[in-house]
Structure formats: C-alpha cells, structure tokens
C-alpha cells in the first residue's frame, strides 16, 4: 500500500519511519523543507504539495501541529481535497479542536471522501492529560524556585516532597531542575520530549473544549498564558519543563 503522509515533523517523522520499516511505500509532504528532507532520508518519496501526496496515496495520513495547519493542509490551496480520490480514506492523527475536524469531514464527505479523526491518545483524553501535566509542571517549577530563593537545596527539597502529598509523576520523571533526574529533559539542556509551544497549544485546546461544554477552568488558562510568554522569550522549541528557566527570580534592584 502507498501512503500519502502529510506532516513529517516532531511527531510525524517517527510514525513515517515505522511505516517505511513495515514495508509501506510513502509519499511525503511538509511545508518545512528540513522536515521533508528528513522524510526523504527515511525512504519516502517527495511530494510537491499536500494534494500531490494525497493523489498518490491509497491512504492519506496527516500529523500536524495545529488546527490551522490541518485546515490548510486539507482545504487550502494545493490541499488534500484537491488531490485525493473519491472513496479514499483520510486519517488525521493531529490533536486539534473538534470543530475543525467536523468542518473538514463535512467538506470531504461532499466529495465522497472518508475522514477519520484519530488523534494519538484520543483527542479528549490527551487534552485532559496534558492539562494536568502542563499545569503541574508550572506548580513544580514555582515551588522549586521559591525553595531555591530561600536557600533550600533542590535535591533535599525533592526528597522531602517525594515522601509527601506534593509528590507527582512530573517531579519524579520530568523534574524541571537540571541534575535531579538524569533522564529528564532538564538534565539534557531541555531537549524536548514535548515542546513548550505544543503544551501551550494543547492547553489552549483544553480551555476551548471546557468553554464549549460550559465547564469553568481557572488554572489551565493561566498556565497556557505562561507557556505562551515563555515561548515569546525563546523557549518555544525547548521542552515544556523549561518554564522553570523562565520563572527565575527578578533582580534585587527590581521594584517588586
């Protein structure tokens, strides 16, 4: 089977690699030249547009970072809808808002094209999980910045909290302070397991989903804004635990 694969970045690239290893033929497209080059090195054919990849594929898979990216890939100029054949199946594995998925599905259906919304982890489950991990990472970072400001050794503080009610999976496996957990991103120059920009995006989606269902949320919007500000200060492509770096204390000369 030949698969048209659109979106060969952080998440899409390993998925594409697995398809190629399993013997699938793949024709790939990404708007980022470096991501597309990486896909070609993995053994995929190069497509000049999403429409070209879709036209060649018996199955179309998309793995993109945002709702806007997915909508453009499917419905924009040179998009999938211009190339995919009737009765083909398009599978979107991106984590985006449900409304975008429904609009795309409706337009594809008019042309006899099937669309499956299949985000990694399940859309709602992933948003709920990332709401927790994203907000907890902020809380852990704040706590350790406060401790450090009063001269508490972060290793000692970690050992105390690990035996107390503040113990969390995030602190145990993704400790934001470098040198505490060897395998954590913080101990590897914050090389991303999950980027700050992606966490900001997912928290935004969680807030939107809550609004749609009239569920009040307070902590998630604040955490989302913090990640967005951290991104604007150059941390967007680093692991989201790098929010700890952003939360460094102001100087003693500052008014507050």
């Amino acid at each position: 089977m030949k698969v048209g694969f659109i979106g060969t970045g952080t998440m899409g690239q390993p998925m594409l690699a697995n398809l190629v290893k399993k013997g699938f033929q793949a024709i790939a497209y990404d708007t980022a030249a470096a991501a597309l080059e990486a896909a070609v090195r993995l053994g995929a054919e190069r497509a000049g547009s999403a429409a070209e990849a879709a036209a060649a594929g018996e199955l179309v898979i998309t793995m993109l970072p945002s709702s806007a990216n997915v909508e453009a890939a499917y419905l924009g100029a040179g998009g999938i809808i211009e190339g995919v054949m009737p009765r083909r199946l398009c599978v979107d594995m991106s984590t985006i808002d449900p409304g975008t998925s429904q609009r795309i599905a409706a337009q594809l259906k008019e042309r006899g094209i099937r669309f499956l919304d299949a985000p990694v982890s399940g859309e709602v489950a992933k948003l709920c999980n990332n709401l927790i991990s994203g907000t907890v990472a902020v809380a852990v970072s704040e706590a350790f910045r406060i401790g450090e400001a009063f001269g508490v050794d972060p290793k000692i503080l970690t050992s105390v909290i690990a035996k107390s009610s503040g113990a969390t999976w995030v602190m145990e496996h993704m400790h934001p302070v470098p040198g505490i957990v060897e395998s954590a991103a913080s101990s590897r120059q914050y090389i991303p397991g999950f980027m700050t920009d992606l966490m900001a995006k997912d928290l935004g989606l969680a807030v939107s989903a809550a609004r749609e269902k009239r569920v009040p949320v307070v902590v998630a919007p604040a955490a989302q804004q913090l990640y967005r500000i951290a991104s604007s200060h150059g941390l967007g492509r680093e692991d989201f635990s790098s929010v700890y770096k952003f939360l460094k204390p102001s100087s003693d000369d500052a008014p507050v």
Side-chain angles (χ1 to χ4, degrees), residues 9-239:
T10 303
M11 297 292 286
Q13 190 176 131
M15 295 168 66
L16 176 65
N18 285 333
L19 286 172
V20 173
K21 286 177 185 177
K22 293 294 184 180
F24 289 88
Q25 292 179 280
I27 178 165
Y29 177 71
D30 197 291
T31 56
L36 185 53
E37 288 295 336
V40 172
R41 288 195 298 272
L42 289 171
E45 295 178 40
R46 183 195 308 270
S49 67
E52 183 180 331
E58 299 168 68
L59 169 70
V60 178
I61 295 175
T62 49
M63 185 66 201
L64 296 158
S66 72
S67 299
N69 293 138
V70 175
E71 190 150 17
Y74 275 93
L75 308 179
I80 292 165
I81 198 168
E82 295 180 6
V84 67
M85 300 292 291
R87 295 185 296 279
R88 289 282 193 258
L89 174 63
C90 296
V91 180
D92 181 41
M93 304 191 74
S94 317
T95 301
I96 62 172
D97 70 88
T100 298
S101 299
Q102 291 167 0
R103 286 195 301 274
I104 292 169
Q107 292 200 38
L108 292 178
K109 186 177 180 180
E110 290 177 1
R111 302 194 181 199
I113 302 158
R114 296 178 293 157
F115 178 81
L116 179 63
D117 180 24
V120 290
S121 306
E123 191 158 273
V124 174
K126 183 181 179 185
L127 295 182
C128 291
N129 180 81
N130 285 2
L131 184 154
I132 294 171
S133 62
T135 55
V136 167
V138 171
V140 172
S141 296
E142 291 178 345
F144 276 82
R145 281 301 191 188
I146 293 170
E148 290 165 15
F150 281 93
V152 180
D153 186 313
K155 290 185 179 180
I156 294 175
L157 185 56
T158 298
S159 67
V160 172
I161 295 175
K163 299 178 180 66
S164 306
S165 59
T168 69
W169 191 96
V170 167
M171 192 183 76
E172 182 181 353
H173 297 278
M174 304 173 63
H175 206 301
V177 181
I180 306 295
V181 176
E182 184 178 350
S183 60
S186 60
S187 299
R188 297 178 288 111
Q189 293 77 50
Y190 295 96
I191 295 172
F194 196 70
M195 292 189 297
T196 297
D197 281 345
L198 293 179
M199 182 56 77
K201 181 205 75 169
D202 279 7
L203 285 174
L205 290 173
V207 171
S208 296
R211 185 182 301 116
E212 180 182 336
K213 296 300 182 182
R214 302 177 65 83
V215 175
V217 285
V218 178
V219 177
Q224 186 214 9
Q225 291 305 310
L226 182 58
Y227 285 115
R228 291 183 67 183
I229 297 170
S231 176
S232 73
H233 282 74
L235 301 177
R237 306 293 291 181
E238 295 188 10
D239 189 81

